[in-house]
């Protein structure tokens, strides 16, 4: 496939577009898909928190039973794919979705501690004074997990410390208000490092979202070498909640989608290249056809036409090329006709000029001898060279004879010019050629007998009709017989034969015995003033125009004439139309 062809360019373009699209999909998937999945996970955890909070409120209002509540929590945990633990305000586990509730409880404690959520919890002395004054907590006097209300006071500092027994002394002091002179009521900022020394690892966290009820954070567990998203905080009933889900699945999904896009992209690229090749072939085929048509048109071959049935731009182009081909053919045909006519005019002009030149030359040559004779004899008479009456009569006869020859030559030249230039129009008629030949032969009997010549005619007794100008055909026969009389010798026989050579043509031949015409002269005898034997022609008064008149007459009839040497003589012939 030529790299400059439209097929190659279309295939390359579509393949390049597919490659660019695949690369863009991979780039966007790498950059944005993980963020999208993370946001989706966060939204799922927020939805799970809302659903759990609503279910716990319904449970607190006795709208559902504990069994229904646990079923709802299980359904939420399973459908969302999350780990979840809910503990009462007295730090007893109410619900855990997976095994290892101690681990989740520990995570909840560490998250609460690290975020210093109990910074506003009263110290033990304040609690005692509050109890002494007989004041109640904000949410009631009971810490029952079922009603879900937080007492807001610590009744037994030792019991609470026992629940956080695995924390360090400094952590416990910070959590329960110890060393109040150092911490006071000042809230400690959240830490980025959650000390999980009890589990043998520290977790690095990133706060994603935080408000008064919950905190959403991203945590890296160096022990499990995995990232998690966690939501921890308090429910409206005072219970603590921790929701946790790994985000390794997010990374797996991104990796799977990248792999899928790569494989699908490679397959799409292969299919696209094949489809582009086929499509480009469909597009390039009519274009190639149009190119071939244009190439043939450039060689003046207008038989080529676009024959496609496409209704689009290519079809319109094909129709336009067909119209252009048709118009070009017409214009070139007209141009050729004009060129031919112009060439004929030029040829006619050149021929006319040549004929004029030849005419002047030949006439000057032919008239030179008779004029000289006339001049000589006339001067002799004038000067009285002879007083003999017979001599004077001879001089006068010569002058008259030469004058008649000049007159006859001029007339024949005028006749020849009229025929050659089409000024003497043909009068086509149907006549009996046998009768015409007999008439001309009879008219020349006297001349032939004076030279002891015999004219014989050979033809059928039945009339043989032809189509021609009878007057001009008579002149042709007369010139042939006159030429035969002037050149006949030896046996002194002239034969005129008329025969039908086929159903459409009649042939007339005139034979005279005598010498053959030299082969080098045969093709020139039809030219004006051409004479094979100039002395002999001068003797019988020939002008060399008779055969030229014959040729001009037959050309005007679009029929053939000719001459051939035969045994002991020469035969002239011409043909006429039978129908």
């Amino acid at each position: 496939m030529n790299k400059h062809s439209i097929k190659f360019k279309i295939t390359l373009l579509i393949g390049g577009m597919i490659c660019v699209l695949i690369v863009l999909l991979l780039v966007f998937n790498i950059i944005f898909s993980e963020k999208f999945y993370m946001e989706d996970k966060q939204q799922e955890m927020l939805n799970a928190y809302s659903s759990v909070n609503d279910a716990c409120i319904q449970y607190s209002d006795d709208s559902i039973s504990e069994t229904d509540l646990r079923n709802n929590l299980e359904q939420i945990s399973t459908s969302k794919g999350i780990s979840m633990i809910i503990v009462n305000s007295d730090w007893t586990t109410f619900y855990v979705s997976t095994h290892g509730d101690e681990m989740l409880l520990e995570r909840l404690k560490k998250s609460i501690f690290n975020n210093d959520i109990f910074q506003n919890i009263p110290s033990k002395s304040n609690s005692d004074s509050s109890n002494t004054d007989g004041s109640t907590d904000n949410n009631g006097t009971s810490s029952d997990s079922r009603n879900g209300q937080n007492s807001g006071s610590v009744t037994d500092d030792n019991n609470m410390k026992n629940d956080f027994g695995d924390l360090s002394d400094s952590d416990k002091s910070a959590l329960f208000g110890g060393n109040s002179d150092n911490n006071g009521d000042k809230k400690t900022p959240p830490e980025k490092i959650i000390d999980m020394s009890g589990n043998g690892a520290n977790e690095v966290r990133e706060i994603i979202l935080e408000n008064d009820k919950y905190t959403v954070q991203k945590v890296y567990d160096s022990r499990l070498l995995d990232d998690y998203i966690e939501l921890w905080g308090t429910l409206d009933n005072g219970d603590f909640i921790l929701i946790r889900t790994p985000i390794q699945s997010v990374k797996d999904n991104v990796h799977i989608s990248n792999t899928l896009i790569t494989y699908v992209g490679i397959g799409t690229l292969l299919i696209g290249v094949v489809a582009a090749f086929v499509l480009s072939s469909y597009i390039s085929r009519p274009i190639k056809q149009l190119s071939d048509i244009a190439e043939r048109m450039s060689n003046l071959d207008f038989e080529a036409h676009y024959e496609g049935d496409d209704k689009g731009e290519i079809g319109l182009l094909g129709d336009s090329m067909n119209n252009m081909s048709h118009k070009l053919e017409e214009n070139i045909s007209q141009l050729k006709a004009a060129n031919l006519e112009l060439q004929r005019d030029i040829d006619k002009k050149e021929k006319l000029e040549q004929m004029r030149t030849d005419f002047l030359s030949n006439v000057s040559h032919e008239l030179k001898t008779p004029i000289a004779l006339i001049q000589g004899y006339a001067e002799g008479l004038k000067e009285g060279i002879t007083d003999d009456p017979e001599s004077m009569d001879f001089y006068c006869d010569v002058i008259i004879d030469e004058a008649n020859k000049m007159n006859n030559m001029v007339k024949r030249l005028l006749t020849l010019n009229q025929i050659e230039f089409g000024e003497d129009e043909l009068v086509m008629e149907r006549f009996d050629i046998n009768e015409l030949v007999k008439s001309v032969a009879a008219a020349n009997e006297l001349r032939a007998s004076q030279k002891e010549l015999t004219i014989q005619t050979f033809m059928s007794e039945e009339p043989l009709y032809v189509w021609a100008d009878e007057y001009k055909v008579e002149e042709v026969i007369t010139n042939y017989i006159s030429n035969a009389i002037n050149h006949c010798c030896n046996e002194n026989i002239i034969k005129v034969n008329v025969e039908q050579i086929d159903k459409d043509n009649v042939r007339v031949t005139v034979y005279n015995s005598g010498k053959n015409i030299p082969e080098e002269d045969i093709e020139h005898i039809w030219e004006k003033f051409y004479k094979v034997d100039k002395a002999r022609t001068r003797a019988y008064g020939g002008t060399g125009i008779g055969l030229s008149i014959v040729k001009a007459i037959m050309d005007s009839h679009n029929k053939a004439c000719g001459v051939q040497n035969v045994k002991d003589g020469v035969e002239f012939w011409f043909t006429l139309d039978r129908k």
Side-chain angles (χ1 to χ4, degrees):
M1 183 167 55
N2 189 353
K3 66 178 181 179
H4 298 292
S5 66
I6 189 173
K7 181 185 295 186
F8 176 80
K9 292 179 180 179
I10 291 177
T11 304
L12 182 63
L13 177 62
I14 294 179
M17 291 175 62
I18 294 175
C19 290
V20 171
L21 180 61
I22 294 171
V23 172
L24 288 176
L25 286 175
L26 288 173
V27 170
F28 278 103
N29 194 59
I30 292 172
I31 296 176
F32 298 109
S33 60
E34 185 172 353
K35 183 182 295 186
F36 174 78
Y37 284 132
M38 290 290 293
E39 291 178 354
D40 185 65
K41 284 290 185 180
Q42 296 171 25
Q43 189 60 43
E44 284 187 358
M45 297 192 74
L46 295 177
N47 293 338
Y49 173 83
S50 298
S51 299
V52 171
N53 192 41
D54 292 341
C56 289
I57 291 175
Q58 292 177 5
Y59 175 66
S60 298
D61 294 339
D62 294 330
S63 298
I64 59 175
S65 63
E66 181 177 350
T67 302
D68 292 336
L69 173 62
R70 291 185 180 276
N71 289 337
N72 288 342
L73 295 178
E74 185 68 25
Q75 183 179 2
I76 294 171
S77 175
T78 303
S79 62
K80 303 293 184 182
I82 58 177
S83 299
M84 180 171 56
I85 185 171
I86 300 175
V87 296
N88 298 324
S89 55
D90 60 357
W91 295 99
T92 59
T93 302
F94 176 74
Y95 173 79
V96 64
S97 61
T98 60
H99 297 291
D101 55 335
E102 296 83 0
M103 181 61 188
L104 289 177
L105 180 60
E106 183 67 17
R107 287 294 298 110
L108 178 58
K109 291 177 182 180
K110 290 293 185 180
S111 296
I112 293 173
F113 164 71
N114 197 72
N115 207 44
D116 207 10
I117 197 171
F118 293 131
Q119 197 62 236
N120 295 326
I121 297 177
S123 64
K124 181 178 181 181
S125 59
N126 291 338
S127 178
D128 292 341
S129 62
S130 296
N131 290 336
T132 304
D133 292 338
S135 61
T136 63
D137 55 51
N138 295 330
N139 297 315
T141 59
S142 173
S143 60
D144 193 310
S145 63
R146 189 178 185 276
N147 57 30
Q149 295 180 350
N150 192 353
S151 64
S153 64
V154 181
T155 57
D156 189 345
D157 195 26
N158 292 329
N159 292 335
M160 185 63 72
K161 288 181 179 181
N162 290 334
D163 289 332
F164 293 88
D166 54 354
L167 300 179
S168 63
D169 293 339
S170 61
D171 292 343
K172 293 177 183 178
S173 175
L175 178 59
F176 295 107
N179 299 325
S180 60
D181 56 341
N182 294 330
N183 294 331
D185 293 333
K186 184 178 180 180
K187 185 174 180 180
T188 304
E191 299 289 342
K192 292 186 177 180
I193 302 298
I194 302 176
D195 184 7
M196 295 295 291
S197 57
N199 293 326
N202 290 332
E203 294 183 358
V204 180
R205 71 172 179 171
E206 174 188 350
I207 301 298
I208 299 175
L209 178 63
E210 185 177 22
N211 57 30
D212 294 338
K213 293 184 178 182
Y214 54 79
T215 297
V216 180
Q217 61 189 18
K218 179 180 178 182
V219 178
Y220 176 72
D221 191 337
S222 60
R223 179 175 57 85
L224 299 177
L225 300 177
D226 198 2
D227 291 310
Y228 293 86
I229 295 180
E230 295 179 346
L231 183 149
W232 61 270
T234 59
L235 301 173
D236 290 345
N237 63 359
D239 292 345
F240 297 106
I241 185 172
L242 173 66
I243 302 175
R244 192 183 201 208
T245 182
I247 61 175
Q248 181 61 37
S249 59
V250 173
K251 298 180 179 179
D252 292 340
N253 288 336
V254 173
H255 176 71
I256 291 172
S257 62
N258 287 337
T259 303
L260 179 62
I261 290 174
T262 301
Y263 288 141
V264 172
I266 294 174
T268 304
L269 177 61
L270 295 177
I271 296 175
V273 168
V274 175
F277 184 81
V278 175
L279 178 63
S280 60
S281 299
Y282 174 78
I283 295 175
S284 62
R285 187 181 302 111
I287 296 177
K288 183 64 170 61
Q289 182 182 359
L290 291 176
S291 176
D292 294 338
I293 293 174
E295 181 67 23
R296 292 176 62 181
M297 288 173 58
S298 67
N299 296 323
L300 302 182
D301 179 9
F302 299 106
E303 296 298 324
H305 293 87
Y306 176 73
E307 299 177 352
D309 55 357
D310 189 278
K311 303 300 181 182
E313 290 78 1
I314 294 179
L316 294 176
L317 178 60
D319 293 338
S320 299
M321 291 189 67
N322 289 342
N323 293 333
M324 181 177 66
S325 174
H326 179 68
K327 291 181 179 179
L328 279 175
E329 184 177 9
E330 290 182 349
N331 293 334
I332 291 177
S333 177
Q334 295 174 0
L335 181 61
K336 285 185 175 182
N339 288 338
L340 289 175
E341 185 176 357
L342 179 60
Q343 186 63 43
R344 283 195 297 267
D345 292 341
I346 294 174
D347 293 342
K348 184 176 181 181
K349 184 178 180 180
E350 292 178 350
K351 183 178 180 181
L352 180 62
E353 186 65 26
Q354 185 65 36
M355 288 175 62
R356 184 181 293 111
T357 302
D358 294 342
F359 177 78
L360 292 175
S361 176
N362 292 328
V363 168
S364 299
H365 177 74
E366 293 296 326
L367 293 179
K368 180 175 64 175
T369 300
I371 290 175
L373 289 173
I374 292 173
Q375 183 180 4
Y377 283 103
E379 289 176 351
L381 289 173
K382 182 178 180 181
E383 294 177 358
I385 294 176
T386 180
D387 293 330
D388 184 11
E390 292 184 2
S391 298
M392 293 177 64
D393 290 340
F394 175 76
Y395 284 6
C396 290
D397 291 339
V398 170
I399 291 173
I400 293 171
D401 184 57
E402 293 299 329
N404 288 332
K405 289 180 179 180
M406 287 192 294
N407 183 49
N408 183 50
M409 182 180 66
V410 170
K411 287 181 179 179
R412 294 177 74 85
L413 282 173
L414 290 175
T415 301
L416 178 60
N417 286 338
Q418 289 177 347
I419 296 174
E420 287 181 339
F421 286 99
E423 296 176 0
D424 190 5
E425 295 182 358
L426 298 177
V427 179
M428 301 299 290
E429 55 186 333
R430 186 170 179 264
F431 60 92
D432 184 4
I433 186 64
N434 290 339
E435 185 64 28
L436 179 62
V437 169
K438 289 178 182 179
S439 174
V440 174
N444 285 274
E445 284 286 349
L446 180 60
R447 290 180 57 199
S449 63
Q450 291 175 350
K451 294 186 176 183
E452 298 180 354
L453 302 177
T454 303
I455 300 178
Q456 301 176 355
T457 58
F458 302 91
M459 62 193 71
S460 64
E461 295 296 331
E462 298 295 328
L464 184 59
Y465 291 97
V466 295
W467 283 95
D469 187 321
E470 184 176 3
Y471 172 76
K472 288 184 172 57
V473 172
E474 181 182 358
E475 187 170 0
V476 170
I477 299 173
T478 300
N479 284 337
Y480 272 175
I481 292 178
S482 297
N483 187 69
I485 291 174
N486 293 327
H487 292 87
C488 187
C489 61
N490 297 335
E491 295 180 1
N492 295 336
I493 297 175
I494 297 174
K495 297 178 181 179
V496 181
N497 183 47
V498 180
E499 61 178 339
Q500 182 174 347
I501 57 178
D502 56 45
K503 65 178 182 179
D504 294 326
N505 294 281
V506 171
R507 182 185 179 100
V508 179
T509 60
V510 178
Y511 164 82
N512 67 272
S513 60
K515 297 179 181 180
N516 291 146
I517 300 173
E519 293 295 332
E520 62 272 14
D521 292 328
I522 287 180
E523 61 181 12
H524 298 293
I525 63 175
W526 308 102
E527 299 175 2
K528 292 188 291 290
F529 303 111
Y530 188 83
K531 302 170 184 177
V532 176
D533 187 349
K534 295 180 175 58
R536 182 181 180 87
T537 304
R538 177 68 186 168
Y540 65 77
T543 61
I545 300 176
L547 292 180
S548 298
I549 293 175
V550 170
K551 182 75 165 81
I553 291 174
M554 298 316 300
D555 287 344
S556 66
H557 281 80
N558 291 323
K559 301 303 292 183
C561 63
V563 60
Q564 58 184 354
N565 290 319
V566 295
K567 184 179 180 181
D568 298 329
V570 177
E571 184 179 79
F572 285 85
W573 59 270
F574 67 92
T575 60
L576 294 173
D577 287 331
R578 178 75 173 84
K579 296 180 181 179

